[in-house]
Amino acid sequence: MADVFMPQLGETVAEGTVTKWFKGVGDLVTRGEPLFEVSTDKVDTEIPAQADGVLSAILVPEGTTVDVGTRLATIGGAGDDAVAVSSAPTISTSPTAAVPATAPALAAASAGEKLSPVVRRLLAEHGLSSGEVTGTGPGGRITREDVLAAAARTAPAPGAAVIQLSPVVRRLLSATGLQAGDVTGTGPDGRITRRDVELAAQGGAPRTGAVAREGDEVIAFSKIRKLTAEHMVRSKATSAHTLMVREIDFEAVERVRRSHGAAFKDAEGFTLTYLPLISVATVSALGEFPHLNSSVGHDELIVHHAMNLGIAVDLDAEGLVVPVLKGADALDVRAMARAIRDVATRARTKALGVDDMSGGTFTITNPGPYGTLLTGAVINQPQVAILSTDGVTRKPVVVTAADGAEAIAIHSVGLVALTFDHRAVDGAYAARFLARLAQLLQESDWSHRL
């Protein structure tokens, strides 16, 4: 027998959501093949099986969020009986989230091998775990009648809506003395999650939103949408957000795109956009203004000498992820363009790993292709700044010749917006960074940096 646990996917990740089981109870499992998919605030990833055998029990259903270390399933030998649920107590790495197992649950867990096939089938049919049933048979063994009695106690009243509860949620409700009707479900289709029960048990306010009117469409937040929302609210509550904007004359960048764009696309298979050139210039400027490449500690600034650039990638309506380019200061424009395209492609095909999403020190978000004028982005914690690159348009500008003469010319112009944490740096420091970034973009000979 081999137990399957929620893995630790990153140093700061404390929980994960089982979004999909690739195998069902009774299916053969081969070591190394995908067994289930996990979604965290860092990444969605497939977890391979660690042993050969038969999937004999699934303890945590799809859509359930549990702590790292929680027992998810059991892989047994080919001759073992399959069982849909088990009474193993939840393992929690969070002291406030730990729920003690009841005495009947512990007794049933130790006697799990004594469940008859009929009892196992009935438990599965009624969505019960053996820990929710008091055994009256010899030695506390659970009988058919015990399961039916427990099912009758948990059955909804006539005409009442049926509420689907996972074994973890049932145990939490029992341990906290709450009823399902006391908890507002925020999971798929209003399903009650572990976090919902914990919030209700702590006396938290119910999570109710605006009332849907006739003709309205109600779309439940996806996992990544909920995590993004939580991350953004937490960032606003943590950092003293300040916005500073600089106009950039991108004509030097546009000239190299016009003169080298066709050859670049022939060689690389994709278009040379503004983003890799802006990214190279940003990393260079950060080298001169390292306090923007940092985090805030306890009354201290932690300056990161590694230059790990986060690139925000839009997943259409699903949400936003920020894969990280490690050692971005070593990349020239061509290498930067390849790296950005690679992580964006893998983000949209859910092929990013945990390492791709961790360790960022500064982030760039790029809504510019949609023609935005100005974006005040939210800082990607625990970083202290984020740069938004907005739309670039052709417009008249005043240009000065070497002899001081002025003239009107048509150039490509756009805005870059820096949101920074005022705890970390002051406005003058941020302004000098933007001035240096503008100088690099406007005066560099980009044709020699491809």
Side-chain angles (χ1 to χ4, degrees), residues 85-103:
V85 294
S86 172
S87 60
T90 300
I91 300 171
S92 174
T93 57
S94 171
T96 60
V99 177
T102 62

Side-chain angles (χ1 to χ4, degrees), residues 208-340:
T208 56
V211 176
R213 298 178 177 84
E214 183 179 354
D216 290 347
E217 179 183 6
V218 179
I219 302 175
F221 275 2
S222 65
K223 174 67 175 178
I224 192 170
R225 183 77 267 147
K226 286 191 288 188
L227 290 171
T228 300
E230 292 172 3
H231 189 63
M232 296 298 98
V233 171
R234 186 167 64 250
S235 179
K236 280 288 193 177
T238 300
S239 297
H241 280 60
T242 308
L243 179 66
M244 188 170 287
V245 184
R246 173 84 187 210
E247 187 176 65
I248 305 287
D249 187 335
F250 284 101
E251 192 62 18
V253 172
E254 181 59 28
R255 281 198 298 268
V256 78
R257 292 181 68 240
R258 285 197 298 262
S259 59
H260 294 272
F264 181 93
K265 187 171 184 179
D266 288 342
E268 302 295 335
F270 58 91
T271 302
L272 176 62
T273 66
Y274 285 90
L275 183 56
L277 292 101
I278 295 173
S279 298
V280 169
T282 298
V283 170
S284 180
L286 285 173
E288 301 177 37
F289 295 88
H291 289 189
L292 288 170
N293 192 60
S294 65
S295 303
V296 174
H298 182 66
D299 293 332
E300 62 190 4
L301 189 67
I302 304 169
V303 179
H304 307 299
H305 293 294
M307 199 73 71
N308 299 335
L309 184 64
I311 300 292
V313 178
D314 174 49
L315 303 181
D316 296 324
E318 293 185 27
L320 189 76
V321 295
V322 186
V324 178
L325 308 182
K326 306 289 177 62
D329 49 337
L331 304 178
D332 61 14
V333 173
R334 190 175 297 267
M336 183 71 78
R338 290 171 182 163
I340 292 173

Side-chain angles (χ1 to χ4, degrees), residues 105-191:
L106 293 174
S110 63
E113 296 289 331
K114 299 179 182 178
L115 297 176
S116 70
V118 172
V119 167
R120 289 177 176 175
R121 177 177 58 79
L122 287 172
L123 288 171
E125 288 177 357
H126 293 284
L128 294 170
S129 71
S130 55
E132 298 172 89
V133 181
T134 301
T136 62
R141 190 167 183 175
I142 297 174
T143 67
R144 175 179 181 275
E145 288 70 25
D146 296 331
V147 179
L148 293 176
R153 288 194 301 271
T154 59
V162 176
I163 301 176
Q164 299 252 343
L165 301 176
S166 70
V168 171
V169 167
R170 287 180 184 274
R171 284 197 293 274
L172 280 170
L173 289 171
S174 176
T176 56
L178 293 171
Q179 300 295 321
D182 300 328
V183 182
T184 301
T186 62
D189 300 320
R191 191 168 184 173

Side-chain angles (χ1 to χ4, degrees), residues 244 275 278-279 281-282 310 312 362-367 375 377 385-390 415-419 433-434 437 441:
M244 188 170 287
L275 183 56
I278 295 173
S279 298
T282 298
F362 186 92
T363 296
I364 293 178
T365 183
N366 180 40
T375 302
I386 182 171
L387 185 76
S388 174
T389 59
D390 287 282
L415 301 178
V416 294
L418 180 73
T419 304
F433 163 80
L434 285 175
L437 175 62
L441 287 168

